[in-house]
Every structure is written in structure tokens, then in C-alpha cells.
DNA sequence: CGTTTCATTGAGTGCGATCAAGCCGTGTGG
DNA sequence: CCACACGGCTTGATCGCACTCAATGAAACG
């Protein structure tokens, strides 16, 4: 981490604030690469950095003391993560695939960011987006059947992929831990949706949306 | 709402930023009273205001198109709410009891808040707190039994009350919609926890914590 | 080729939902 | 004062969905 220190502190002295939410974070942080399944930060680790995915996919997970695993979210290129924190991270973050992330010093928000309003607004915007996604996730877990959960998961994956041919970066266990189901139930629902002609799986990681309206109807 | 306009725009010109998160929002907004069950804002309503509870309790609810109701959270005196929004509120907010809230114009965050960093930080802090609570709620709904859900609900109510004698502001249906259970299951778990000697209900709204360790052990 | 890991399928169980009474505190009117 | 209705809570009986346990299948890897 000492590698990051000088670079980050220099970049925060920048005097010309970028105009908008969509401005490039590149000049603020350092790029780091992570191998598949490598840990980016740990649960309960102090939260002095946050991150943006450059390439690859990241998942955040939470382990409870009785051994149950819960997945907070999946982050794709462009997504900001690591804001799930008071003083320490409630989740750990792991590289789901090989990936590259941009690392930004978070302490700047608490102290130095008074001098950089654009950065502060970027962080707030990202936090809002995170909150929205978490709330949507909440309603998914709260009052939906296993079939509806899996259907909406696949639909969102399709929306992210921007087409009807989707390759999932995660396996069944990750889907299960995200949806609050067991791996067996996920598998059964996938099979069921396929037998209903809603989706068609080519292999266990990639599928085609056949009847999108049917999928959308399940979100209620 | 035009009542608020002048007052708010004036207050945002304030030159002396308060030192910290806990500073008084009073000078920013207008007080409004709401009667029990009165709506404070509606689901899908445009989100140009946010709120702080002065007295009483507020709940946020979401209705799905198939009629299921979900409660986002309960807000007590001092809590900020109404940040659950992109362009529009995903939840509606209702007065659970008679209450008074402070109303603050939200648009200032997007435009004028460049001139008031303390306000911006207050909002970000509140958003973070909301995110934390939502994530905790998420893990509660995801992988916990009905008994654990009710136990942790009662424990949090006790923590909020700051003692072992608690009066709940909400009824069983609200508890059920918050925990993703039916009213019957909530009732059964309450009865069970009581028969285990963990809590003791005086009437259906107020109870005493008898064995706090047992309650805490259920959070895993 | 064996080993390991992950996904699928099957059989049986249990937890929480559903449906249906009953209970109790509160309010209302005779 | 009692009779009655009403809403919120509790309790009981039953059902079905998702979990558990177990076996099999299918890739990936050394």
C-alpha cells in the first residue's frame, strides 16, 4: 500500500475540478491488478480506500459467525465499490474474475475533500447508486419466490450485458448467496425456466433470453 | 411548498459552516406536523426534499404491483430520511405516530450546495448511514430464520429505547412487512421467545428484555 | 487416467405461508 | 350498564415451497 501513498497524495492536490459525475477518476488513483479469487479488501478491515472497476468483475461478500455467506453485490467495469463502510468494511471484496481496479484514497473525503467538491459529489453519487441497488436487492430478498429471484437475476444480467446473449461471470454458489437460496434451488429454477422456454442455457455459464416479456412479467 | 422556497434559499447562503455531522439542521428547513398514518411523500413522487424527524416515528413503505407491501425502515427523532431516491422516491413515507419533521430542499445538493460543504457532508453522512442500515437489513432478510428475524428486531428496538423496557411504536403487520414474514409468524415467534423466557410482553406493544444474552446470541 | 470441483437431479423433511377460528381491548349505541 | 361490532392479535390445522441429504453427471486439471 505504501506504493500508493505518494501517487495518491499528489493527485489530490489537483486544482481544477472536473465538471461532472462522469468525469474521469483516473487522475485520482492508482491502477491495481487482482487475480481471480484474490481478496481486494477484507471484512472488518479499516476503510480508507475506495475503488472503481476498470476491467473484470468484483463481488462483495459477508461471512456471518455461523458460517453463512452472503453476497452484497457484483461490480462491473465502471462501477464504484468499497463505500460499504462506517469505520470498517462490512463486506470483503474479491476479484470474481481477473480484474483491474482503480484505487482511491478515501480519507480525502473526510478531510481534504473540502478542496475538491467534484470528487465529493462523485462519491455521494456513487453512494446513492449503491443505496438504490441495495434497496432493490432488499425487495428481491424480502417477498419473492425462488423462481422470481432467479428470473430477475437473469434479467438483470441480460440488461447489463446489453443483449439477449449473456455469459455469467459467477457460478451457481455465488448466485445462491446473492439471492438467499441454496445452490440446488438455483439449479432447479434455472432448469424450470429453461423448460418453460423462457431462457436457453448453452452451458452452465451462458444463456440466451428467449421470451423476455415472460421474464419481465416475473418481477411483478 | 412555496412556503419553503424563500426560507430555504436564504438559509443556503449561510457563510459559516457548522463544524460537524451533528450540527443543527434547523436553520435549513421548515418544521411540518403530520398526523398518524398521514403520508409525508408518495412512492414515485419526485424527490426534491429530504427530511429529519424531530419527534414521533416515520416508516417508509414500498408497494409492489402485485400488492405486496414492504417496509424499508423506521425513523426516530434525529434520523434523516427521504434520501431513498434517484429522480423519484422508491418508497413512500408515512407518519407511524403523530410526528413533526424538518423539511429541507434537496435540489440544493445538486446545484447550490457547492457553496455549503458542511450541508453536503451531512447529506453524504446520512446517506452512508442509510446504506449501512439497508445492508444490515439485507443480511437479516437473506439468511435468517423467522425466529432470528424477530429476535433481532426486538433487540434493536431495545437498543434504540436505551433500556430493557420497550414500547414498540408499530403493530404486528408493520413488523411482518419489515421482516419479510406474515403477521401470524411474527406472532408465533413472539410467543415462542416469551415462552423461552427471553422477553416478557406486558401488552402487545410493550415488552421487557429478560435475557439479553440469549437475544444477542440469535444474531449469530 | 484419476482427482477435484461444480452443476444437476432425486427423495424426504421442515419451516413458514395459508386458511380459518377464536380472543381481547376498544368504541358505540341502546 | 350491557350488547354488539370492529380491528388487531393469537392460535390451530394443513399445505407447499425451499432446504437437506445423497447420488450422479460433467468439466477442468494435473
Amino acid at each position: 500500500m505504501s506504493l500508493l501513498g505518494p501517487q495518491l497524495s499528489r493527485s489530490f492536490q489537483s486544482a481544477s475540478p472536473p465538471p461532472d459525475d462522469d468525469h474521469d477518476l483516473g487522475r485520482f488513483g492508482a491502477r491495481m491488478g487482482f487475480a481471480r479469487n484474490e481478496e481486494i479488501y477484507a471484512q472488518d478491515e479499516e476503510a480508507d480506500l475506495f475503488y472503481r472497476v476498470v476491467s473484470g468483475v468484483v463481488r462483495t461478500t459477508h461471512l456471518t459467525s455461523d458460517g453463512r455467506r452472503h453476497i452484497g453485490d457484483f461490480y462491473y467495469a465502471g462501477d464504484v465499490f468499497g463505500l460499504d463502510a462506517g469505520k470498517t468494511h462490512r463486506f470483503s471484496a474479491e476479484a470474481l474474475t481477473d480484474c483491474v481496479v482503480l484505487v482511491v484514497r478515501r480519507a480525502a473525503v473526510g478531510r481534504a475533500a473540502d478542496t475538491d467538491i467534484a470528487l465529493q459529489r462523485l462519491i455521494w453519487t456513487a453512494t446513492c447508486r449503491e443505496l438504490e441497488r441495495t434497496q432493490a436487492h432488499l425487495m428481491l430478498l424480502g417477498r419473492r419466490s425462488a423462481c422470481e429471484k432467479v428470473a430477475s437475476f437473469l434479467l438483470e444480467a441480460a440488461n447489463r450485458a446489453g443483449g439477449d446473449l449473456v455469459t455469467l461471470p459467477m457460478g451457481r454458489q455465488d448466485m445462491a448467496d446473492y439471492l438467499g437460496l441454496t445452490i440446488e434451488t438455483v439449479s432447479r429454477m434455472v432448469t424450470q425456466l429453461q423448460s418453460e422456454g423462457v431462457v436457453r442455457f448453452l452451458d452452465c455459464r451462458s444463456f440466451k433470453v428467449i421470451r423476455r416479456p415472460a421474464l419481465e412479467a416475473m418481477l411483478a
Side-chain angles (χ1 to χ4, degrees), chain A residues 1 28 35 39 68 84 108 124 131 139 149 160 216:
Chain A
M1 288 303 165
F28 289 119
E39 185 178 73
R68 290 178 282 198
D84 57 297
W124 182 64
L131 178 58
M139 295 196 293
K149 286 177 178 178
R160 283 211 118 130
E216 283 163 349

Side-chain angles (χ1 to χ4, degrees), chain A residues 147 151 188-200 210-211 214-215 218:
Chain A
C147 189
R188 273 184 255 272
M189 295 304 116
V190 162
T191 302
Q192 181 184 325
L193 287 170
Q194 185 162 223
S195 72
E196 289 169 356
V198 178
V199 294
R200 173 102 208 135
I210 307 295
R211 297 198 289 120
L215 216 48
M218 289 180 159

Side-chain angles (χ1 to χ4, degrees), chain A residues 11 14-28 115-122:
Chain A
S11 62
S14 164
S16 60
D20 205 88
D21 301 351
D22 263 315
H23 80 286
D24 195 318
L25 252 187
R27 65 192 183 82
F28 289 119
T115 64
D116 195 334
I117 284 177
L119 178 64
Q120 189 166 327
R121 284 197 36 211
L122 174 79

